[in-house]
Amino acid sequence: MSAEPIIYGLIFIGVLVLVEGLYLVAFGKSISMNSRVNRRLEMLNKGGRREEVLDQLRKEMRQHMNAKSIPLYSILATKAQKAAIAFSPQQLLMVMGGLSVVAFVGLSVGTETEPPVRVALSIAIGVGAVFFWVSSKANKRMALIEEQLPDAVELMVRSLKVGHPFASAVQIVAKEVKDPLGTEFGVIADESAYGRDVGEALKEMAERLDMQDMRFLAVAVTIQQQAGGNLAEILAGLAKVIRARFRLFRRVKAITAEAKWSGKFLSAFPLVALVVINLGDPHYYDEVRETDVFIPACIAVGMFLGVNLFVMRMLTNIKV
C-alpha cells in the first residue's frame, strides 16, 4: 500500500493550518471569534478613528458579494460573505495561488507523482483547502450568531425597560456582546449615529447574513417605528420566538443526525474496505485490474457513492 495518500492528507492539513495562521497574523487574534473583546472595540482601542473603523468593517462585510462577477469566485462569495472574511477577494485568490505552490513543493518533495498530476493535485489542494476553511468559518460564525441573538435581544429589552432609547440599546449590545454579533451591532450603532435608519441597517444585515431571525428583528423594529407601540414587549416576545426556533432547530438536527451519519458511513465503508483489503492482500485485485470493465466499474461505484451522499443530504434537509 502506497504512503502517498497519507502524504496528500498531511499536506492538505498543513495548508489549512497555514491559511489560518496567515489570517491571524494579518488581522490579529480578535478576528478568530474567540476573543473576549470584539474586533470593532479592539480596533477603536488601538487608536482607530470611528469613521475609519466603520468604513473598514463595512468594506469587509460587503466586498465578497460585490466580487461575484470574478470567474469561479461566485462559488465562494456567499460563504465568504457569511464568514465576513477580512481578506479581499483578490487577496483570497492570491492565497489560493500561494497555497497551491506550497502544496506543489510538498508533493514534489514527498511523492514521486508525475508533474502534470502534481500540478492538478496542488491546485485542487490549494483551492479546496481555502474553500473548506471559508466554509467552516461561515458555519461557525452563523451558528454563533444564532446562539447569541436571543441574549442580545433580551439585553435590548432590559435596556429599553430602564428608559434607554433603541439606538442606545443597540450600542450596549455592541459593547457587551462578544463577536461575531458584537461587531455586527457595532456597525449598526455607528451607522445610526451618522444618521442611517436602524430598521434599514438591521434589514440589510439580515439579507447579507440570510438569517430569518434577524429578518424578524428588522421587521419588528420597522413596524414599531411606523406604527408605534411598546417595543420592549415586542422584542421580549420575539426573543421567546427565537429561542423556541433555536430549540426546534437543535431537535431537528438531533433527529436527523443518525440518517446523516448513516449516509456518510455507507459512502465511506467501501473506500475503507478497499484500503483494508489492499493492506491485507496487495494482489487481491490483480486479476480484475486488467479487464476492460475495471475502470468503468470504478467510475460507476464513485458516482453511486456521490449520489448516496446527495440523496441522504436531501432527505435530511428539513426546512423549519
Side-chain angles (χ1 to χ4, degrees), residues 98-143:
L99 294 178
S100 298
V101 173
V102 172
F104 181 80
V105 173
L107 290 173
S108 300
V109 173
T111 68
E112 297 179 356
T113 312
E114 295 296 326
V117 178
R118 286 205 302 269
V119 171
L121 286 174
S122 301
I123 295 173
I125 290 174
V127 175
V130 171
F131 185 85
F132 179 83
W133 176 74
V134 171
S135 181
S136 62
K137 285 279 185 184
N139 293 336
K140 179 182 178 182
R141 189 169 186 270
M142 294 304 298

Side-chain angles (χ1 to χ4, degrees), residues 46-57:
K46 287 182 177 179
R49 295 173 54 195
R50 191 175 183 183
E51 299 89 345
E52 295 174 350
V53 171
L54 176 61
D55 288 340
Q56 181 177 344
L57 293 174

Side-chain angles (χ1 to χ4, degrees), residues 13-33:
I13 294 172
V15 167
L16 280 178
V17 174
L18 181 59
V19 67
E20 179 69 16
L22 288 172
Y23 197 57
L24 293 178
V25 169
F27 299 103
K29 291 184 178 180
S30 63
I31 205 167
S32 66
M33 294 183 290

Side-chain angles (χ1 to χ4, degrees), residues 179-219:
D179 270 348
L181 198 59
T183 295
E184 291 282 353
F185 271 85
V187 171
I188 293 176
D190 289 341
E191 290 179 339
S192 174
Y194 289 113
R196 189 178 186 186
D197 181 72
V198 179
E200 291 181 1
L202 286 170
K203 183 178 179 181
E204 181 185 334
M205 181 173 68
E207 295 301 326
R208 175 165 45 80
L209 298 176
D210 191 21
M211 187 174 175
Q212 191 63 35
D213 292 335
M214 199 68 73
R215 292 191 182 98
F216 292 157
L217 176 61
V219 170

Side-chain angles (χ1 to χ4, degrees), residues 247-263:
R247 287 195 297 269
L248 182 58
F249 286 142
R250 287 292 180 91
R251 186 175 180 182
V252 170
K253 185 177 181 179
I255 292 172
T256 58
E258 182 180 356
K260 290 179 180 179
W261 281 104
S262 296

Side-chain angles (χ1 to χ4, degrees), residues 27-28 36 44 48 53 63 79 97 110 135 143 165 182 224 234 241 265 275 295 318:
F27 299 103
R36 293 181 179 271
L44 291 172
V53 171
Q63 60 186 347
K79 288 286 187 181
S135 181
Q224 192 276 337
I234 296 173
V241 172
F265 174 79
V275 173
I295 299 299
I318 299 175

